[in-house]
Amino acid sequence: MATHIVGGEIYYAYTGVNADGSRNYTITLFVYRDCGPTNSNNTPFDEFASIGVFDLSNNSLELDMDVELFNSNVEFVPIELENPCFILPPDLCVQKARYTTNITLQPNNDGYMLVYQRCCRNPSIINLINPQWAGATFTTTIPGFDVLPEGVNSSATYNNFPPVALCAGAEFFFDHSASDVDGDSLSYEFCTPFHGASADDPAPDTPAPPPYANVQWATGYDETYQIASNPPFEIDPVTGFITGTANQIGQYVIGVCVTEWRDGVPINTTSRDFQFNVTLCDPNIIATIPEQTSFCDGMTVEFGNISTNATFFEWDFGVPGIDTDVSTEQNPSYTYTEQGDYTIMLIANPGWPCADTAITTFDVRNPIDPEINFDGAECINNSVRYDFSSNANLTPQATFTWDFGPGAVPATSTATAPNNILLNPELSSYVINVQIEDDGCFDEATLEIDNVPEPISSIVPQESFCAGLTYTFENSSQNTTDFSWNFGAPGNGDISFNPSPEYTFPDTGLYVIRLISSAPNTCPDTAFLSFEIYDLLNPGFQDYGPMCFDVNEYDFTATGFTTNEATFFWDFGDAANLPTTTLQNPQNITFNAPGTYPISLTINENDCERTYEDELWVVAVPTIDAIVTGGEGCAPLRVSFDAQAESETQVFYDWDFGDGGTSTVANPTYIYENQGFYDVSLHAFTTTGCIRNLFVTLNDAVVVLPKPIASFEVSPDELNILHPEIFVQNTSEHAVTCYYYISDGTSYETFDFTHSFIEADITI
């Protein structure tokens, strides 16, 4: 009852020739077992596999061997589908065991057959009669010299093991090709598996000799139609590619043979049989559009995609009458032009037989996005009334619910644009809320408005009087942004909107000034104030320049008043001959000393009083004198001059030194080159302050004497010891003093003298 065999095959590989001509081969046996729940006894692989080698000349047993199985040679076969459209059930399990050994054979004419037998198959197989009693025989042939004169061959080996499970109704495609190391041509065909072993002896110690009986096909099945399928399973004889669609669930035995051809002659056929499990599979590709969770978000919709196992897509966004509302992006977006409900279709892996389609409905609406507009406020009956509206993307069916906060009149409203709302003046700020519902969409907005303080209108009182007809008004209002002035002179443009305006009145008089101060969201405030406007009181008197003290005398005239009622007060100071006076035009005012004197005139007119102040400069009279230093001597004679000037302002100089030389400095130095007597003159003058011209003339101020010429006479010319005296007479020109030196050490300071020598060779 070991109903666990799924399939298997046996191969050989030529590895070399020995000295006696025998050939060496490596034998490989693959056995596949069911390790899933259908192997109810969990029957394991055999610990040893019995492989027989039969001589085909008489089908006698040439070699019998037990090949040991090592745990390392057991592995799971991946449970995979070639068709990506489906998912296999999770309880399928197949293991593969590999038995390997080496043998040596003497070549013969008929060749050898390698055989492995095992029983039994699963009783649930539906394409065999009594499958639970049907064993399996796997064979391959080593050709003899009659078939292959060179006697060297390795069998073809299958590249892949077929998937152990197929999905009913799913297209099947599988590459069942093999490889041949000798380069032989290969052909493929479905073949009937061999029966082998029995339930009584499921793993015989020695396989039975050939020939072998075929398994018995159940009704409706044969070698060419081994599995219920439509279209039927086919195998390409050249490529080994198997296609078809199984259409009935169950387990099926499939036999495939690969034949090696060399030089057009078939030299070996290797059989493989295996078990297909046809089952119901879940679709592998599932198209899924996430349900809409966000509404009223605008005309551009971002579509999600949570499809399973899909790699490419087709979207239709459901706009009737057009065919451009499509996309192949995985997560597309689309912008609608009209609001409404749209049927969205998503095809996952379009064109595939397992393509899946998802359809859902999206509600596309513009967001309301309301904003509260504060449309202004109006002062009605000395209270502020507010107007509101809301801009939003709305239909005419939209409904509004306004809430204006505690104490408001009215407190709520359902109007689209409520107005004339009296808000609670006790609050520091107002919170306005509107809730809007439109075509299934809901949104709300809030606006906070500060309760601004009421304006206080105030005019700075008049501080400047008798300043003329033009007056600049000062504004001391509070909490205001806008102003309206009325200057009380109708018909003369007597209004202004400047904060601190200037206005020229048409005439003097008493005017009532009105100021209306206002600010947004408040009621205005009004202030009145009277102003007296008079002509400009601008006292003044003539501007005297500097005046010399010796002639100072002033006549003053008051100016800057407009009426005969004006009164005057002059203050000249104690140095004046008239310190103060109330005369309008005081005359002959003098000062007793040079100096700078402040003068003030105060005029009182129209109850206005103003004072004008200025200064007078009484300038001391300049004086001058000329001093000559070193004015006598021989040429060249250096002479110094000093002007000795005194003045409150700058003095300018013109010196004339009498020999044609001049200078403009105050204290010049001059050199006379020629003898003579020279008159020196000085012209000094000022150009500011006390302007004067001063003259000084010094006669014979400089005497330049002639230069002396030294000369003297001595007699007699010759002396002797008896007569040692000489007489010296001065003959110099222009000499005043003389000095004589004699080489005997004697000196004289007289013009003429007598001298006696006591030694010879003396000079004078």
Side-chain angles (χ1 to χ4, degrees):
M1 301 301 293
T3 56
H4 65 291
I5 298 301
V6 173
E9 68 262 9
I10 188 169
Y11 304 121
Y12 64 89
Y14 171 74
T15 59
V17 62
N18 299 313
D20 61 356
S22 61
R23 311 295 171 86
N24 298 320
Y25 298 92
T26 297
I27 309 301
T28 300
L29 170 67
F30 286 108
V31 178
Y32 300 86
R33 82 175 185 104
D34 184 352
C35 52
T38 54
N39 181 3
S40 58
N41 295 324
N42 195 24
T43 305
F45 287 112
D46 294 327
E47 189 175 346
F48 293 92
S50 296
I51 299 175
V53 180
F54 293 92
D55 186 341
L56 292 179
S57 62
N58 54 15
N59 292 334
S60 62
L61 183 65
E62 176 74 16
L63 184 64
D64 183 17
M65 67 197 88
D66 286 336
V67 182
E68 185 177 359
L69 175 67
F70 297 95
N71 289 335
S72 60
N73 293 335
V74 177
E75 59 184 278
F76 286 93
V77 177
I79 306 301
E80 296 178 346
L81 280 177
E82 293 294 319
N83 191 328
C85 295
F86 297 93
I87 301 174
L88 285 169
D91 55 357
L92 294 175
C93 178
V94 174
Q95 279 184 313
K96 175 176 69 173
R98 179 167 58 89
Y99 300 84
T100 302
T101 188
N102 297 313
I103 63 172
T104 299
L105 296 174
Q106 285 290 342
N108 61 19
N109 292 327
D110 296 310
Y112 299 93
M113 178 178 287
L114 307 181
V115 179
Y116 172 73
Q117 292 182 317
R118 189 63 166 88
C119 189
C120 297
R121 302 179 188 271
N122 286 329
S124 56
I125 293 173
I126 63 176
N127 64 339
L128 299 182
I129 297 174
N130 296 323
Q132 69 272 25
W133 309 114
T137 299
F138 308 133
T139 66
T140 188
T141 301
I142 299 175
F145 290 134
D146 291 343
V147 175
L148 190 64
E150 62 271 27
V152 175
N153 185 58
S154 295
S155 63
T157 58
Y158 293 108
N159 297 321
N160 304 298
F161 188 76
V164 297
L166 284 72
C167 295
E171 182 181 0
F172 176 75
F173 37 89
F174 175 68
D175 180 6
H176 201 280
S177 63
S179 298
D180 190 277
V181 296
D182 301 317
D184 296 327
S185 298
L186 303 178
S187 64
Y188 306 90
E189 61 185 335
F190 288 129
C191 56
T192 300
F194 292 133
H195 174 71
S198 66
D200 295 330
D201 188 12
D205 292 335
T206 301
Y212 301 108
N214 295 331
V215 296
Q216 294 184 355
W217 296 107
T219 302
Y221 300 95
D222 57 27
E223 184 174 282
T224 61
Y225 187 75
Q226 300 182 4
I227 183 171
S229 54
N230 186 24
F233 271 49
E234 295 181 350
I235 185 168
D236 189 301
V238 177
T239 64
F241 203 78
I242 299 175
T243 58
T245 300
N247 58 6
Q248 180 179 340
I249 63 174
Q251 293 178 311
Y252 299 85
V253 170
I254 306 295
V256 175
C257 291
V258 58
T259 300
E260 303 168 53
W261 297 75
R262 189 175 299 178
D263 299 326
V265 176
I267 61 173
N268 178 36
T269 297
T270 300
S271 66
R272 166 195 266 181
D273 71 65
F274 50 89
Q275 176 183 295
F276 271 156
N277 298 286
V278 180
T279 184
L280 291 176
C281 300
D282 292 328
N284 190 29
I285 298 175
I286 302 174
T288 307
I289 305 172
E291 292 296 324
Q292 184 179 13
T293 58
S294 180
F295 299 87
C296 306
D297 280 345
M299 305 303 288
T300 298
V301 179
E302 303 286 340
F303 291 96
N305 186 344
I306 55 175
S307 300
T308 303
N309 297 325
T311 56
F312 55 99
F313 308 91
E314 283 185 5
W315 290 83
D316 188 311
F317 303 117
V319 181
I322 65 173
D323 57 6
T324 58
D325 59 329
V326 294
S327 176
T328 58
E329 295 182 12
Q330 181 172 349
N331 296 286
S333 66
Y334 184 75
T335 300
Y336 293 87
T337 58
E338 296 182 5
Q339 300 187 131
D341 295 331
Y342 294 91
T343 299
I344 312 303
M345 182 175 67
L346 168 63
I347 303 176
N349 282 27
W352 281 27
C354 55
D356 192 36
T357 301
I359 296 176
T360 189
T361 300
F362 268 63
D363 182 12
V364 180
R365 297 285 185 272
N366 272 318
I368 296 179
D369 288 339
E371 291 182 359
I372 298 177
N373 297 325
F374 173 39
D375 296 333
E378 183 180 4
C379 183
I380 301 176
N381 296 328
N382 205 33
S383 62
V384 182
R385 305 298 178 111
Y386 293 81
D387 297 336
F388 300 99
S389 64
S390 174
N391 60 330
N393 301 312
L394 302 175
T395 67
Q397 290 73 37
T399 61
F400 295 78
T401 303
W402 293 84
D403 186 341
F404 304 112
V409 180
T412 61
S413 174
T414 58
T416 301
N419 54 50
N420 201 24
I421 307 300
L422 177 61
L423 301 179
N424 185 354
E426 301 298 325
L427 300 177
S428 61
S429 63
Y430 310 120
V431 177
I432 313 301
N433 177 266
V434 62
Q435 297 179 347
I436 303 176
E437 187 172 356
D438 184 30
D439 198 13
C441 298
F442 174 85
D443 208 343
E444 64 179 331
T446 299
L447 175 66
E448 184 172 357
I449 304 174
D450 291 333
N451 182 6
V452 298
E454 294 292 328
I456 300 175
S457 189
S458 176
I459 305 171
V460 175
Q462 185 176 13
E463 296 179 353
S464 175
F465 297 86
C466 306
L469 299 181
T470 299
Y471 192 89
T472 300
F473 293 90
E474 295 185 55
N475 188 340
S476 58
S477 301
Q478 302 176 35
N479 310 325
T480 55
T481 58
D482 301 290
F483 308 92
S484 176
W485 293 82
N486 186 294
F487 304 114
N492 292 276
D494 63 335
I495 59 174
S496 176
F497 302 100
N498 292 328
S500 297
E502 181 182 86
Y503 181 69
T504 300
F505 290 89
D507 199 358
T508 62
L510 181 64
Y511 294 89
V512 177
I513 310 302
R514 184 192 69 190
L515 170 61
I516 300 175
S517 300
S518 59
N521 311 334
T522 61
C523 288
D525 188 39
T526 302
F528 295 92
L529 194 62
S530 296
F531 278 71
E532 298 178 71
I533 303 300
Y534 295 107
D535 287 324
L536 177 64
L537 179 58
N538 188 22
F541 50 85
Q542 62 268 45
D543 181 15
Y544 281 102
M547 185 175 290
C548 295
F549 172 70
D550 58 351
V551 294
N552 85 93
E553 184 176 272
Y554 299 91
D555 295 333
F556 291 97
T557 301
T559 61
F561 57 94
T562 58
T563 67
N564 293 329
E565 284 74 25
T567 61
F568 311 89
F569 179 79
W570 295 84
D571 187 345
F572 302 112
D574 294 339
N577 61 339
L578 184 64
T580 62
T581 181
T582 58
L583 295 175
Q584 179 180 343
N585 302 310
Q587 307 292 308
N588 303 319
I589 304 300
T590 62
F591 294 86
N592 59 15
T596 300
Y597 299 99
I599 309 299
S600 68
L601 167 63
T602 300
I603 301 179
N604 191 299
E605 182 183 41
N606 295 324
D607 293 329
C608 299
E609 183 177 277
R610 283 193 175 181
T611 298
Y612 173 74
E613 293 183 348
D614 201 355
E615 289 185 342
L616 292 180
W617 184 17
V618 179
V619 186
V621 178
T623 62
I624 194 170
D625 194 7
I627 297 177
V628 179
T629 302
E632 184 175 353
C634 298
L637 179 63
R638 179 183 296 273
V639 182
S640 297
F641 301 90
D642 185 356
Q644 296 285 303
E646 291 186 3
S647 174
E648 294 187 51
T649 59
Q650 183 178 0
V651 179
F652 299 91
Y653 305 91
D654 285 328
W655 289 89
D656 186 339
F657 300 120
D659 66 347
T662 62
S663 177
T664 60
V665 300
N667 303 304
T669 298
Y670 187 72
I671 298 175
Y672 289 86
E673 298 290 345
N674 301 310
Q675 74 176 57
F677 293 85
Y678 298 96
D679 298 334
V680 176
S681 63
L682 170 62
H683 173 208
F685 60 94
T686 57
T687 58
T688 57
C690 184
I691 301 174
R692 292 293 173 89
N693 286 285
L694 304 176
F695 298 91
V696 175
T697 300
L698 302 176
N699 295 322
D700 295 332
V702 177
V703 177
V704 181
L705 301 175
K707 186 175 181 180
I709 301 174
S711 178
F712 62 91
E713 294 180 354
V714 178
S715 62
D717 292 335
E718 292 184 2
L719 302 179
N720 55 45
I721 194 65
L722 297 178
H723 299 91
E725 293 181 343
I726 62 169
F727 176 72
V728 179
Q729 183 180 5
N730 176 32
T731 60
S732 300
E733 296 180 8
H734 313 304
V736 175
T737 61
C738 291
Y739 181 82
Y740 292 89
Y741 172 76
I742 302 174
S743 60
D744 62 2
T746 305
S747 62
Y748 297 92
E749 293 185 12
T750 62
F751 283 96
D752 302 317
F753 64 90
T754 300
H755 179 71
S756 295
F757 293 96
I758 61 175
E759 292 182 5
D761 297 325
I762 299 300
T763 60
I764 298 175

